[in-house]
Amino acid sequence: LKLEMPTINLDGEVTVLATVPGVVQSLKSCAVTWRKLISRVLEEQLKKVPQGNGPLAEIDLWREKNATLSALTEQIKHPEVQKVLEILQEAVSEFTGDLQIVLSDLKKHHMEAQDNAKFLSTLERHLKNLSTGTGADVISNTIPSLLNALRMVWIMSRHYNKEERMVPLLERISWEISARVRKVVDLQTLFREDIAAAKIKVTEAKATLEKWKKCYFTTCIQVEESGSERYWKFDVKRLFEKTDYMASICQELHDIFQVTEELYNIFIPELTTVTENPKSIAELRREVNIIISPMEDLTFDPFSMESAHDWALVMEEFREDVIVGIVKQIFVQNLKAPPLYKNHPPVAGAISWSRSLFRRIQHTIIRFQEVEELLATERGKEVKQIYLQVAKKMKEYEDQKYRQWRDRTEHVLPSLLKDTLLTVSSATEEPVTTKKSIYLALNFSPEIQEIIIETKYMEQLGLPVPEMARYVALQEDKYLRYTSKLKAMLDRYHKLMEMMNEAETKLLDDYVQELWRILKAGYKRLTWKSVGIGEFIVQCTQTIGKLELLVHQIHNISEDISSKLRSIESTNLFKFPHSKNGDKLPGAKEFFDDVKCEQVKDVEHMVRKYSAIPQLLIEVEGRVANTNSGKSPKLASYYAYWEHRIYQVLTQLVVKNLQVFNATVLANVPLLQIEAVMAVPEVTLQPNASEIEKMTVQAIQDCVEVTKHFVRWMHGTCIECPPQHIKADEVVTFSFYSDVSQSPLIIEQAVLITQNVHKLLASLNKCLNQWRRYDLVWKSDKSAVLDRLAAEKPACVIFDEHLQFYMKVAQEVTQRTLIKDEQFIRLQLAPLASAVQENAKSWVMSLGKLLNELAREELFRLQDEIQVG
């Protein structure tokens, strides 16, 4: 579209040109052409409608209008056009009136098109997602943001804030959503897909349709709450009638898939496990496929409201086929093992299952009788005949199940009620020592409980029940009470027996025997028809309670004894002294004396704890035997049990402490020190290796002899043995020492410690060999050497060699390492170095003195020769 420009020259002033008739006439002709063109364009644009049913078509329409009208508007703004208008206005103002009206219309429609194109473009992204987005989630997530954008357009736009503009746009959006749902839920392909996938599709489609409506009403509230004077009060039926109908169709499609899935996933697997005829399963599968096959070949659009009646007939036929045909298959295939409702017993549950199936098809037939056109068809007549056959078989099935149950109940129930209350793992009289291994169990047959439940359900079903079964069912609460209390009692009994060790079982022999005397009635005499069951439970519970109390009291006392024994066992018998002033470590004798001293203190504490144990056992004696002598025959085995425990604890005490001592010997942490000294003619340790080994052996012996302080008890008592006078001057005390000292573990540790100390001392002696290179310093006979040199009178260089050697020795020993730490011993080499140095210096002094004397003699001799000459 292009405005035709005048061919005349328009150079010059407007006022001048307006006075030229030829110019004005030419421009008037041109203006008429423009007015006709603009009028025609406006008329065409106003007649244009969106090319398509979707909302994007409306955006395209306004963009096209905006482009067309913008092109004209830009041309009107051209300077040459504006000058033409000015000349005509100056020359003949009345002529330009019609043109100005057209230009005004152009401006108005252009602004509207521009405004609409601008605001609708804010919706474009959302509308494209709605139109082409993949996945139901994209569409579902787009709807809220789209409506929010529409709300902003409504509030801010000058043209899309009216019902006549907004409603058609909303209708187009509703159409787009419907179209997307139609595309996803395509019945031609949907029923050929996996059932689970198809269910997801229709569920998502329904959710999308419902979300569209829900978000619309949410936006209505937001518009109202925003304070806008213009509310969204549009015709809801116009917007949502079709989408609501489509949502209902999606729900019905979901129901179809749900039923189909249940038939495949619930009934068919059950049939597979109980049927011996796999062909019947295949038939059922084919039946299911036949039922849904009409859905694939519909001759109408199910989403079209015009086809509502046709769709309703399809759904009714589906339900008819499913409920009657499939129920028949389910009934036939599940006769041997019918699926039961929760908590239903087998027989009454089977009858209930059969009746529920019957009610389903009965209800269906009654409903279908109301729709004559359905039952009038061949398929309808066939379904009715199937219904009558199935109903007859169901009645026969119910009667047979009931008769079998009634006959068995009348036969079995009397014998079940004659069962004893309890069963025992062994009915023979066992020795008391094995009572703990005997297991008592409740002897209430599950079949009684099943008969009770069957009876109650049979009566609910309106079927007569045997009198004895009714009587037992009426006593259900009593039986439940008895079985619950008996289970609790047996649980307490078994828990109690598990709590006791062998020593405690022997200790409480009389109490256990008394309890078993009472329990015996439960597995020998009392049955479920007896009248003394309640008294039996009370008596057993009371007796178990008394024994429980006694066992807990004994366990508390046992814990006190065990606590004292743990304290004794954890005693450290080798508490090593620490250095008192920095690096100064105790000597070997001081070290072992300190260990012995600390040991004596610890032994006193241990003996006090040990001496308190008999009094605790006497307390047990008082509770069990009602005496406090410490020598009750009933507790003889119990005394022996604890004496053996004490032996084990003392053995562990000694073994652990010797292990600690051995680890200390091997650790590279010095705890005592010895010295290397010169004992002419040898270099040796002080104290020497033999003395240190003796100290070590004595420390081991002291550790073991700690057990001498723990006096044994007299046989069959917890009373300490008095000292025994064997001879007039010899007294023997029976202690644990004689047994503990023979333990192989203790002997092994003692040997290991002495071996390790011996190796250590040998290593230290080897270290002294390095000092024997200086043995000339102390081994040589100084007097003899000096006499020989005096007699020989050697040259001064000989004396110089001797002096250099001894001076070098004196210098070297001061530079050697004077402390050697090896394992738990520190060897002080300073005394040895000092002695070597002193000896070397003595040699230097002596040689110097001899050299001086020889030099004086030689000087006097020369002096005499000079004088004689």
Side-chain angles (χ1 to χ4, degrees):
L1 297 174
K2 191 172 183 182
L3 295 178
E4 183 180 342
M5 290 294 113
T7 56
I8 61 174
N9 187 2
L10 294 179
D11 293 337
E13 292 296 328
V14 171
T15 53
V16 175
L17 293 172
T19 60
V20 180
V23 171
V24 172
Q25 187 59 38
S26 177
L27 294 183
K28 283 172 68 176
S29 176
C30 188
V32 169
T33 304
W34 291 352
R35 178 172 57 78
K36 289 179 180 179
L37 175 63
I38 294 172
S39 296
R40 179 174 58 79
V41 170
L42 287 175
E43 186 178 353
E44 289 175 355
Q45 294 302 314
L46 289 175
K47 288 180 180 179
K48 280 189 176 180
V49 293
Q51 300 300 303
N53 296 318
L56 286 173
E58 188 155 345
I59 296 178
D60 293 339
L61 171 68
W62 285 109
R63 279 185 176 159
E64 185 183 334
K65 283 185 177 183
N66 182 40
T68 301
L69 298 179
S70 291
L72 281 176
T73 302
E74 289 302 317
Q75 291 182 66
I76 296 298
K77 292 179 181 178
H78 193 276
E80 190 174 354
V81 175
Q82 288 297 314
K83 193 168 185 179
V84 169
L85 294 176
E86 288 176 10
I87 293 170
L88 291 174
Q89 181 66 29
E90 181 72 22
V92 279
S93 57
E94 66 279 0
F95 174 79
T96 60
D98 292 340
L99 181 58
Q100 289 299 332
I101 292 172
V102 171
L103 291 176
S104 178
D105 287 344
L106 173 62
K107 181 179 180 183
K108 181 183 73 171
H109 290 298
H110 174 240
M111 289 180 65
E112 180 182 4
Q114 190 177 44
D115 189 67
N116 291 346
K118 179 181 72 173
F119 281 104
L120 290 179
S121 65
T122 62
L123 309 176
E124 186 173 20
R125 178 172 59 87
H126 307 298
L127 294 175
K128 282 185 176 179
N129 284 339
L130 200 65
S131 176
T132 60
T134 57
D137 56 331
V138 175
I139 300 171
S140 185
N141 293 334
T142 298
I143 291 173
S145 53
L146 171 60
L147 280 164
N148 188 56
L150 282 168
R151 180 173 63 87
M152 299 306 297
V153 169
W154 174 266
I155 293 171
M156 300 176 67
S157 173
R158 287 174 294 182
H159 303 282
Y160 266 86
N161 57 0
K162 301 178 182 65
E163 183 174 345
E164 57 269 20
R165 286 280 190 219
M166 185 59 74
V167 170
L169 179 58
L170 290 171
E171 281 186 294
R172 289 178 174 278
I173 294 171
S174 183
W175 180 91
E176 189 68 61
I177 293 172
S178 302
R180 290 308 304 275
V181 169
R182 273 191 170 88
K183 187 175 180 181
V184 171
V185 186
D186 180 9
L187 268 61
Q188 297 294 325
T189 60
L190 193 66
F191 282 91
R192 296 187 181 92
E193 294 184 13
D194 175 69
I195 292 178
K199 275 177 64 179
I200 292 172
K201 279 189 176 182
V202 295
T203 301
E204 289 177 345
K206 179 174 178 283
T208 300
L209 293 166
E210 290 174 344
K211 190 167 188 178
W212 159 236
K213 187 173 182 179
K214 181 181 177 182
C215 290
Y216 168 79
F217 284 111
T218 302
T219 307
C220 288
I221 295 171
Q222 292 173 343
V223 169
E224 192 169 336
E225 291 176 349
S226 67
S228 173
E229 296 179 357
R230 298 180 300 277
Y231 299 157
W232 277 19
K233 292 186 178 180
F234 309 143
D235 185 351
V236 175
K237 182 178 180 181
R238 183 176 168 187
L239 294 178
F240 300 109
E241 184 179 22
K242 291 181 181 179
T243 55
D244 286 349
Y245 178 73
M246 290 182 71
S248 69
I249 299 299
C250 288
Q251 180 61 53
E252 288 180 330
L253 288 171
H254 179 274
D255 294 342
I256 291 171
F257 287 120
Q258 183 67 31
V259 170
T260 308
E261 187 176 48
E262 287 174 0
L263 292 173
Y264 281 134
N265 298 342
I266 298 174
F267 294 119
I268 290 178
E270 289 180 0
L271 297 181
T272 305
T273 61
V274 300
T275 185
E276 298 177 356
N277 184 9
K279 291 183 178 179
S280 60
I281 300 173
E283 290 173 5
L284 179 56
R285 290 184 184 274
R286 283 195 298 273
E287 184 73 19
V288 173
N289 292 332
I290 290 170
I291 289 170
I292 63 173
S293 61
M295 305 291 177
E296 302 175 20
D297 304 315
L298 294 178
T299 58
F300 59 88
D301 179 6
F303 289 121
S304 172
M305 294 180 67
E306 288 75 16
S307 305
H309 179 71
D310 295 334
W311 175 252
L313 290 176
V314 170
M315 284 301 298
E316 291 296 343
E317 186 174 349
F318 170 78
R319 293 189 182 99
E320 174 187 336
D321 283 347
V322 167
I323 295 173
V324 178
I326 301 303
V327 163
K328 174 195 171 183
Q329 294 286 348
I330 293 168
F331 176 73
V332 171
Q333 298 296 340
N334 286 273
L335 288 176
K336 293 182 180 180
L340 303 179
Y341 294 109
K342 187 177 181 182
N343 300 325
H344 273 55
V347 181
I351 294 173
S352 295
W353 167 75
S354 175
R355 288 189 178 184
S356 68
L357 289 178
F358 176 74
R359 282 193 297 271
R360 287 176 66 182
I361 58 176
Q362 184 185 40
H363 177 68
T364 302
I365 292 297
I366 291 172
R367 278 196 340 183
F368 278 61
Q369 285 175 344
E370 298 171 1
V371 186
E372 294 181 2
E373 55 188 300
L374 287 176
L375 283 178
T377 63
E378 288 299 319
R379 180 62 177 166
K381 293 175 182 178
E382 182 183 344
V383 168
K384 185 177 180 180
Q385 189 61 35
I386 294 171
Y387 162 75
L388 295 174
Q389 293 173 358
V390 172
K392 182 180 178 182
K393 287 185 178 179
M394 286 179 173
K395 186 66 173 71
E396 292 172 354
Y397 174 77
E398 177 182 326
D399 292 344
Q400 181 189 12
K401 282 283 184 183
Y402 167 72
R403 281 195 306 272
Q404 289 174 348
W405 172 80
R406 185 191 61 201
D407 294 345
R408 175 167 174 76
T409 299
E410 290 174 344
H411 175 71
V412 170
L413 187 56
S415 62
L416 292 175
L417 293 176
K418 292 178 182 178
D419 287 343
T420 57
L421 303 182
L422 308 175
T423 57
V424 66
S425 59
S426 176
T428 58
E429 293 296 329
E430 298 283 353
V432 68
T433 52
T434 61
K435 282 282 193 265
K436 188 175 180 180
S437 63
I438 296 175
Y439 184 79
L440 288 170
L442 182 67
N443 192 30
F444 186 76
S445 173
E447 197 168 350
I448 297 177
Q449 184 63 35
E450 187 176 294
I451 288 172
I452 291 173
I453 298 172
E454 290 279 12
T455 300
K456 293 168 69 175
Y457 276 96
M458 288 293 184
E459 289 189 319
Q460 290 178 13
L461 292 169
L463 298 171
V465 296
E467 282 302 316
M468 182 174 285
R470 179 183 285 109
Y471 171 78
V472 172
L474 291 172
Q475 303 294 316
E476 181 184 17
D477 290 342
K478 184 177 73 172
Y479 285 124
L480 288 175
R481 198 163 55 248
Y482 284 161
T483 54
S484 176
K485 289 182 178 180
L486 284 168
K487 283 180 183 177
M489 181 268 288
L490 291 175
D491 287 344
R492 284 181 68 185
Y493 164 75
H494 289 119
K495 186 178 179 182
L496 176 61
M497 296 304 290
E498 289 171 3
M499 284 170 59
M500 295 188 289
N501 57 33
E502 187 178 348
E504 290 165 346
T505 304
K506 291 179 180 178
L507 172 66
L508 300 172
D509 176 27
D510 292 345
Y511 295 88
V512 175
Q513 289 284 20
E514 173 62 19
L515 175 58
W516 266 86
R517 185 188 66 76
I518 297 169
L519 288 169
K520 189 174 181 180
Y523 64 86
K524 286 287 188 181
R525 180 173 53 84
L526 293 173
T527 70
W528 294 103
K529 295 173 68 176
S530 301
V531 294
I533 298 175
E535 295 175 4
F536 168 74
I537 295 172
V538 170
Q539 194 175 7
C540 289
T541 303
Q542 289 176 348
T543 307
I544 291 171
K546 290 177 183 177
L547 184 54
E548 274 179 340
L549 178 60
L550 183 55
V551 169
H552 283 306
Q553 291 171 341
I554 292 171
H555 279 181
N556 289 336
I557 297 170
S558 297
E559 180 53 33
D560 286 347
I561 298 173
S562 297
S563 175
K564 294 181 187 301
L565 292 180
R566 284 194 299 270
S567 177
I568 291 171
E569 186 179 342
S570 61
T571 302
N572 180 9
L573 297 176
F574 287 97
K575 292 179 180 174
F576 306 117
H578 299 289
S579 59
K580 296 177 181 177
N581 51 353
D583 295 334
K584 178 88 172 148
L585 295 174
K589 188 174 185 310
E590 181 186 356
F591 174 81
F592 285 107
D593 286 347
D594 284 350
V595 170
K596 176 66 176 175
C597 183
E598 290 296 322
Q599 215 170 73
V600 171
K601 295 177 188 176
D602 290 328
V603 169
E604 290 178 4
H605 292 297
M606 290 192 294
V607 170
R608 278 200 296 273
K609 289 183 174 67
Y610 171 72
S611 300
I613 292 175
Q615 189 56 45
L616 292 171
L617 292 175
I618 290 171
E619 188 178 341
V620 173
E621 179 187 341
R623 297 187 184 280
V624 176
N626 294 317
T627 59
N628 58 357
S629 61
K631 52 184 179 181
S632 171
K634 291 184 177 179
L635 274 78
S637 62
Y638 199 60
Y639 299 144
Y641 164 75
W642 280 109
E643 197 167 20
H644 182 67
R645 282 281 305 276
I646 293 166
Y647 161 74
Q648 291 176 324
V649 164
L650 293 176
T651 302
Q652 282 299 308
L653 167 72
V654 175
V655 170
K656 287 180 180 178
N657 276 281
L658 291 180
Q659 288 173 339
V660 169
F661 185 31
N662 185 48
T664 304
V665 168
L666 296 175
N668 291 317
V669 179
L671 297 175
L672 61 89
Q673 66 179 21
I674 59 176
E675 296 179 347
V677 297
M678 185 185 297
V680 179
E682 292 297 330
V683 175
T684 185
L685 302 173
Q686 187 179 21
N688 60 39
S690 177
E691 290 173 335
I692 294 172
E693 287 182 354
K694 285 179 182 178
M695 293 179 195
T696 304
V697 171
Q698 186 59 48
I700 296 170
Q701 186 62 29
D702 289 343
C703 177
V704 180
E705 289 183 354
V706 162
T707 57
K708 287 184 177 181
H709 298 275
F710 295 85
V711 181
R712 295 289 296 270
W713 299 336
M714 290 188 287
H715 181 68
T717 75
C718 62
I719 301 170
E720 292 185 359
C721 292
Q724 302 296 307
H725 296 274
I726 298 176
K727 296 179 181 177
D729 58 344
E730 186 177 354
V731 178
V732 175
T733 301
F734 291 105
S735 69
F736 284 93
Y737 172 75
S738 57
D739 293 315
V740 173
S741 61
Q742 300 303 315
S743 169
L745 291 173
I746 292 174
I747 294 170
E748 179 187 346
Q749 284 298 317
V751 171
L752 194 59
I753 293 169
T754 53
Q755 288 176 346
N756 288 333
V757 171
H758 181 78
K759 290 177 184 176
L760 171 59
L761 294 172
S763 175
L764 292 174
N765 268 319
K766 189 176 180 181
C767 171
L768 296 182
N769 288 337
Q770 298 175 7
W771 289 81
R772 292 189 173 95
R773 58 188 286 199
Y774 307 124
D775 58 355
L776 289 175
V777 175
W778 64 82
K779 279 190 174 182
S780 300
D781 187 342
K782 189 187 296 184
S783 299
V785 171
L786 292 175
D787 289 345
R788 180 174 57 77
L789 289 174
E792 292 177 357
K793 296 180 181 179
C796 289
V797 68
I798 301 301
F799 275 97
D800 185 57
E801 289 176 359
H802 283 286
L803 288 170
Q804 287 293 334
F805 170 73
Y806 289 114
M807 288 175 67
K808 183 180 179 182
V809 169
Q811 182 67 26
E812 272 186 12
V813 296
T814 61
Q815 296 173 353
R816 294 183 69 90
T817 302
L818 301 181
I819 293 177
K820 178 174 177 57
D821 290 340
E822 189 159 347
Q823 294 182 7
F824 82 121
I825 293 178
R826 172 170 290 172
L827 177 59
Q828 291 284 3
L829 295 164
L832 177 59
S834 178
V836 172
Q837 189 178 36
E838 289 299 320
N839 273 279
K841 287 180 178 179
S842 175
W843 272 100
V844 170
M845 293 295 294
S846 298
L847 287 169
K849 183 178 179 182
L850 176 60
L851 179 60
N852 183 52
E853 290 175 355
L854 292 175
R856 284 171 60 86
E857 288 179 7
E858 183 65 22
L859 183 62
F860 287 143
R861 187 183 65 76
L862 288 174
Q863 188 178 0
D864 291 341
E865 286 181 0
I866 291 170
Q867 288 177 354
V868 171

